[in-house]
Amino acid sequence: MVIQYKCPDCGADMVFDSKTARLHCDSCGHSEVIEDYEAEDFQPFEQHFHTSAFEGGEARQYQCNSCGAILLTDKDTTATTCSFCGSPVVLGDRLAGVLAPSKVIPFAISRKEAEAAFKKWCHHGMFMPRGFKQADRIKKLTGMYVPFWLYDVQGHGEAFAHCTCIHTYDEGDVTVTKTSHFNVYRKVDARYSNIPADASEKMPDSLMDRLEPFDYSNMKEFNIPYLAGFISEKYNYTDKEMFPRIQQRVTDYMKDYILSSIAGYSSVHILNCDCNIGQRSAEYVLFPVWMVYYDYDHSEYTFAMNGQTGKIAGRPPLSKAKVIGSAAVVTLALFIICRIITVLMGGPVL
Amino acid sequence: MTAYIKYIHKYIFILLLVALPCLVCYSTADAETVVKDDAGIISDSKEDELQNLCDKIFKEYNTSVYIWTTPYISGSMDFGYEMEQFVSAQQDTDVIILMIGMYPGDRIYEIQGYGVAKDMLTDRRCGKILDCMHSYMTDGQYYAAVEKFCNMAYTYMGRPPKLDSMLFSPIVQFILCLLAGIVSVALAAHNSGMRITVNSYTYLNKNNSRVIGRFDRYTHTTVTRTPKPKTQSGSSRGGGGGSSHSSGGGRSF
């Protein structure tokens, strides 16, 4: 089922506009409020839909409503653009039933803003080579809704620790150190809400984790028009499959939480810590990500930008000269500061 | 008669004690320093050079330097007391004294600081200078030893004692800064574009999180007693803190 939103005024394709958070027609400027498109309201638009003709293997074929061309899509794709006419298409059958996201964070950063933000980021990159900093070799900039599981988890943890309080004082010609030893126990209940975990196998976890945090106050109930004009994929891993990753993450969080509850000691040595993490709920959501593909020095670099906050993640190339130069400058600056302090305390310049 | 001979060096010392202030008063008129080599262990030409070194300290830090070598002082005498008596006879309040006693079989050398010099040439610093002079003294290189004293005294007078820590050494500071520079830049380069901006508390639901069980049981206390580090060491004697002057404690050689 191919879904395309046509402008009621001029018939051109409408896309989601991050500025107004509405469906927008670039041809005539007409815009529509997305919240008006409730699930039952899709019916009037189905007159514009064409159902898929046939499918085979993992790839699946659809037909574009605008030009009639065959769309060959990846098995995970839920929204894309027609490679012939460029019309935005949403594959509705891949967003139904268990594949239907419950919520979505709409794009708040437009393509132009994303490009400008990336250029600015490159420009401010301290260790990037000069050629890379010009940011004039952006090969591709793709707006993607990436599938995430949003977990609500409950953790129970208990820990035993050996703690000490150290008190030092002078007694004549002797320095006395009194160390009081304590056996400490803590049992905690902790709830963690809305922990995201990227459920797409194509997206590197190392990049997606670094796009956090997302602002959940702008999270909306999922509605298909939000995907118009962007690429979207369905999840590859279920919430159960992704949960071990969340367990590991929350275990680390809980250790910090337990540790923060042990205060007032000179030293804390955790002897044993046991955490049980249980899943309360998991929501299937789509988060906005701009993927930037950049060519530099015969290599392709991939960056991800949070489509809501503009935070960029990715490993840029490093200029050895700049790294060494920066280390030298930091060393020199610190040395000068040290010598100034020394001189202020009455010491010699060198 | 035997007893008279036995204590003759003490009598001569007392005579010198009376005579030296006169000499000092005369000398302070132009240089505020005295190099008096009664033991004859430094050549005349070298004495002038030492005088110049002492003058340098006086001009820079307004502190007089007295260097006195004598064949009559031995370690068995109350060395510190004799020196204090000597200093109390001076008009100067800011004084550094190096006294070398060359009594056969009982040779000793000592440094004391008074006034400003007491603050700058602390017991520890005096001890350090004495230690540095020791090898020269035992080898009979007295001029080199006294020259070492002058140079170290000059350095110490221009640097507060709190800066004696290794952390204030330019070389140590540079090495630490270099390490800090390399580590900080390496970390910054490694985290470039890969910074994690969430922490353990970003997703914590504080309203539904709490400590539900706890105890803090005291088990026992251990006590360790560490002697405070002392400035004096080896064959030092006399001197000490809490007095009107600083002192290295004296050294035999």
Side-chain angles (χ1 to χ4, degrees):
Chain A
M1 183 172 66
V2 175
I3 302 170
Q4 288 174 293
Y5 295 97
K6 300 292 182 186
C7 175
D9 289 346
C10 67
D13 289 306
M14 297 177 81
V15 293
F16 176 77
D17 180 27
S18 58
K19 280 272 182 225
T20 58
R22 288 168 158 226
L23 271 180
H24 180 77
C25 175
D26 288 339
S27 299
C28 67
H30 176 78
S31 67
E32 300 249 326
V33 178
I34 289 176
E35 281 75 14
D36 291 346
Y37 296 113
E38 296 298 334
E40 59 272 22
D41 290 340
F42 291 145
Q43 196 59 35
F45 285 86
E46 282 184 3
Q47 57 189 311
H48 302 295
F49 303 160
H50 276 240
T51 310
S52 59
F54 56 88
E55 59 186 276
E58 288 194 331
R60 192 166 175 179
Q61 289 187 347
Y62 293 86
Q63 192 169 21
C64 175
N65 295 330
S66 298
C67 66
I70 298 299
L71 298 173
L72 190 62
T73 66
D74 188 272
K75 67 182 171 63
D76 301 321
T77 305
T78 55
T80 185
T81 51
C82 174
S83 53
F84 291 94
C85 66
S87 297
V89 292
V90 181
L91 309 177
D93 54 330
R94 293 180 176 183
L95 293 162
V98 291
L99 296 176
S102 62
K103 286 182 177 158
V104 61
I105 294 179
F107 272 90
I109 293 174
S110 67
R111 176 178 291 274
K112 267 188 180 176
E113 288 169 332
E115 195 173 335
F118 181 74
K119 283 183 176 175
K120 191 178 174 186
W121 181 75
C122 288
H123 187 69
H124 288 110
M126 191 184 286
F127 307 115
M128 295 178 196
R130 185 177 294 173
F132 189 89
K133 285 178 83 165
Q134 289 170 354
D136 55 359
R137 294 172 197 169
I138 296 175
K139 188 177 165 187
K140 201 162 67 172
L141 184 64
T142 309
M144 277 188 84
Y145 278 104
V146 178
F148 275 79
W149 287 107
L150 215 50
Y151 290 88
D152 196 357
V153 299
Q154 182 74 45
H156 304 282
E158 53 184 352
F160 289 92
H162 172 247
C163 304
T164 59
C165 277
I166 299 171
H167 177 50
T168 306
Y169 58 92
D170 291 337
E171 204 174 75
D173 289 340
V174 175
T175 301
V176 182
T177 306
K178 267 190 178 176
T179 308
S180 302
H181 299 259
F182 295 84
N183 283 336
V184 173
Y185 168 77
R186 293 287 184 275
K187 187 176 183 182
V188 301
D189 266 357
R191 174 92 69 86
Y192 293 89
S193 304
N194 295 328
I195 306 177
D198 150 42
S200 167
E201 65 181 3
K202 285 181 195 163
M203 293 291 136
D205 291 342
S206 59
L207 277 187
M208 294 299 112
D209 287 351
R210 282 161 177 80
L211 293 180
E212 296 174 36
F214 287 88
D215 180 4
Y216 298 132
S217 63
N218 288 326
M219 193 151 60
K220 310 279 187 193
E221 291 298 321
F222 177 72
N223 214 339
I224 290 178
Y226 285 116
L227 308 189
F230 297 99
I231 288 174
S232 174
E233 299 213 334
K234 67 180 179 62
Y235 62 81
N236 298 110
Y237 303 106
T238 65
D239 59 325
K240 301 291 177 213
E241 288 170 328
M242 292 300 297
F243 191 61
R245 192 160 175 261
I246 291 295
Q247 268 181 318
Q248 181 56 51
R249 191 169 170 183
V250 174
T251 300
D252 293 341
Y253 288 174
M254 284 202 68
K255 283 178 182 170
D256 283 350
Y257 183 60
I258 292 171
L259 208 57
S260 72
S261 70
I262 305 173
Y265 292 102
S266 307
S267 73
V268 177
H269 175 58
I270 300 286
L271 301 170
N272 179 39
C273 184
D274 186 26
C275 297
N276 290 313
I277 315 295
Q279 179 179 328
R280 285 173 57 86
S281 64
E283 276 189 299
Y284 175 35
V285 297
L286 297 179
F287 285 168
V289 175
W290 284 105
M291 296 302 296
V292 186
Y293 302 94
Y294 192 102
D295 273 344
Y296 176 75
D297 199 19
H298 310 298
S299 299
E300 185 181 273
Y301 294 86
T302 305
F303 300 91
M305 181 192 294
N306 185 319
Q308 184 191 30
T309 64
K311 190 192 172 195
I312 296 172
R315 208 171 276 290
L318 298 175
S319 160
K320 279 182 188 170
K322 286 188 178 180
V323 171
I324 294 169
S326 300
V329 168
V330 171
T331 302
L332 196 65
L334 288 175
F335 184 66
I336 288 170
I337 290 168
C338 285
R339 291 321 297 171
I340 288 172
I341 291 170
T342 307
V343 169
L344 288 176
M345 290 176 74
V349 176
L350 279 175
Chain B
M1 186 64 181
T2 314
Y4 175 77
I5 293 168
K6 188 178 176 183
Y7 294 110
I8 191 166
H9 65 277
K10 282 195 176 181
Y11 300 135
I12 296 170
F13 172 72
I14 290 163
L15 277 174
L16 276 171
L17 215 57
V18 176
L20 197 63
C22 304
L23 180 67
V24 168
C25 290
Y26 172 75
S27 302
T28 52
D30 54 358
E32 298 294 336
T33 59
V34 172
V35 179
K36 184 162 172 54
D37 183 23
D38 289 345
I41 57 176
I42 300 167
S43 67
D44 291 346
S45 60
K46 295 289 186 187
E47 268 184 48
D48 291 340
E49 288 177 25
L50 289 178
Q51 186 76 47
N52 290 336
L53 286 173
C54 297
D55 289 349
K56 198 170 135 189
I57 294 172
F58 177 74
K59 281 175 189 162
E60 192 93 18
Y61 305 113
N62 204 27
T63 300
S64 304
V65 181
Y66 301 140
I67 298 168
W68 181 29
T69 71
T70 170
Y72 305 112
I73 295 180
S74 78
S76 58
M77 296 166 66
D78 190 349
F79 197 62
Y81 174 75
E82 304 295 354
M83 286 186 78
E84 274 193 46
Q85 290 299 309
F86 166 69
V87 171
S88 62
Q90 316 307 312
Q91 291 179 333
D92 299 321
T93 52
D94 303 328
V95 184
I96 304 168
I97 298 171
L98 167 66
M99 191 178 276
I100 302 172
M102 298 293 287
Y103 191 74
D106 194 7
R107 302 182 299 176
I108 187 171
Y109 63 109
E110 159 71 319
I111 297 167
Q112 288 187 354
Y114 294 82
V116 173
K118 182 195 170 189
D119 299 329
M120 302 304 279
L121 289 187
T122 57
D123 292 354
R124 190 176 173 185
R125 283 180 164 185
C126 287
K128 206 168 175 182
I129 298 173
L130 291 173
D131 289 341
C132 289
M133 292 170 68
H134 193 74
S135 60
Y136 296 111
M137 296 299 281
T138 50
D139 291 350
Q141 299 177 47
Y142 302 114
Y143 170 73
V146 178
E147 188 184 35
K148 186 83 182 168
F149 155 76
C150 290
N151 289 331
M152 287 184 78
Y154 178 78
T155 305
Y156 284 149
M157 286 300 289
R159 203 173 70 194
K162 61 190 170 192
L163 298 181
D164 281 354
S165 165
M166 285 289 284
L167 289 175
F168 291 99
S169 156
I171 294 170
V172 173
Q173 281 183 345
F174 182 78
I175 291 169
L176 291 177
C177 291
L178 184 65
L179 287 175
I182 290 171
V183 170
S184 60
V185 170
L187 280 175
H190 181 73
N191 290 330
S192 172
M194 298 299 276
R195 201 158 53 92
I196 292 178
T197 45
V198 292
N199 58 39
S200 307
Y201 302 97
T202 305
Y203 301 110
L204 179 69
N205 187 329
K206 287 176 185 164
N207 295 331
N208 292 298
S209 303
R210 65 191 192 284
V211 177
I212 55 172
R214 65 190 300 161
F215 64 69
D216 297 67
R217 282 185 194 141
Y218 167 77
T219 56
H220 64 286
T221 296
T222 53
V223 180
T224 55
R225 293 171 192 275
T226 316
K228 286 183 189 171
K230 289 181 179 176
T231 54
Q232 295 168 15
S233 62
S235 59
S236 63
R237 59 181 108 165
S243 67
S244 61
H245 63 273
S246 60
S247 163
R251 298 283 189 279
S252 296
F253 65 102

